[in-house]
């Protein structure tokens, strides 16, 4: 009997040795995908919606509206007038050129961010803008009780996005009620810093059990920072996302149906 057991163990060991590294990673990834996580922390762009959404939808919408708003500033609300006055440019043509120049140069100007937030809010509320959240991401959010969002975009912008999600019928739905909480760089810190994830752990009272949280993102630097803080991580693999040279170092998800 002992000889049979030894032979069996030897066969198993030989079988494991013969497995390729990629196969072992595949089996491990499948096992991890079936784990029950106590909480999920999700990135937005490139993770739950196309990374092109901001570039191809939000920015063009803003660029289209700026000249109209500036040329008709007298008819705008006091909020818009107050924001635009902070640019300190009197001439309308020069003002529009200045604002669009900030956008083109990707300048992180606080006044610009204010104006963008206001204009995008009007676009969402009018139905002109709908967030193209992936159907499997919507399903993932609805299936889990503790879902949190962590994005470089403001919490206000995050709530706007999830409050105006495009459904299969082309209508807008609000899934904010399915989300437990929101974090941004102001509430928690930069997304590539491990301390930011420690801050989130403290905020959701899970600092002693970080291994029960899954963080999904398309950015390897963010995943590395979260891993350093003790979280389990997953790489979002979606069309349009930047290639990841060391992709085999991460557990990848092309969709979230297995989570």
């Amino acid at each position: 009997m002992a000889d049979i057991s030894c032979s069996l163990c030897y066969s198993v060991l030989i079988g494991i040795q013969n497995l390729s590294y990629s196969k072992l990673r595949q089996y491990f990834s499948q096992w991890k995908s079936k784990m029950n996580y106590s909480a999920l922390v999700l990135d937005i762009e490139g993770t739950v919606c196309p990374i092109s959404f901001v570039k191809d939808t939000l920015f063009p919408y803003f660029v289209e509206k700026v000249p109209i708003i500036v040329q008709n500033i007298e008819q705008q609300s006091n909020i818009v007038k107050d924001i635009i006055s902070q640019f300190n440019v009197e001439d309308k043509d020069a003002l529009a050129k200045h604002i669009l120049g900030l956008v083109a140069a990707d300048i992180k100007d606080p006044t610009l961010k204010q104006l963008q937030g206001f204009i995008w809010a009007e676009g969402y509320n009018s139905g002109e803008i709908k967030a193209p959240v992936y159907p499997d991401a919507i399903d993932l959010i609805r299936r889990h009780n503790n879902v949190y969002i962590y994005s470089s975009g403001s919490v206000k912008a995050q709530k706007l996005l999830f409050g105006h999600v495009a459904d299969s019928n082309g209508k807008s739905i609000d899934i904010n009620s399915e989300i437990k909480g929101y974090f941004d760089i102001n509430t928690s810190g930069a997304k590539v810093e491990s301390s930011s994830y420690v801050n989130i752990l403290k905020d959701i009272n899970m600092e002693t059990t970080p291994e029960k949280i899954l963080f999904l993102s398309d950015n390897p630097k963010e995943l590395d920072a979260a891993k350093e803080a003790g979280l389990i991580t997953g790489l979002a693999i979606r069309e349009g996302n930047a290639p990841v040279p060391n992709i085999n170092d991460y557990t990848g998800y092309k969709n979230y149906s297995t989570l």
Side-chain angles (χ1 to χ4, degrees), residues 221-237:
K221 292 182 179 179
E222 296 175 2
L223 297 178
D224 293 344
K227 183 178 180 181
E228 187 178 338
L231 283 72
I232 303 299
T233 61
L235 175 68
I237 303 173

Side-chain angles (χ1 to χ4, degrees), residues 21-36:
Y21 176 70
S22 60
K23 277 291 184 184
L24 285 171
R25 282 198 59 82
Q26 180 182 346
Y27 293 147
F28 182 62
S29 296
Q30 290 173 346
W31 172 76
K32 283 179 71 177
S33 70
K34 296 181 186 302
M35 289 178 63
N36 292 319

Side-chain angles (χ1 to χ4, degrees), residues 22 108 117 187 193:
S22 60
K108 309 300 182 184
T187 65
E193 299 291 339

Side-chain angles (χ1 to χ4, degrees), residues 170-189:
K171 295 183 179 180
S172 182
I173 59 173
D174 185 347
I175 61 171
N176 277 307
S177 62
E178 313 281 350
I179 297 170
K180 193 75 172 287
Y182 307 83
F183 301 99
D184 61 22
I185 57 177
N186 293 316
T187 65
S188 308

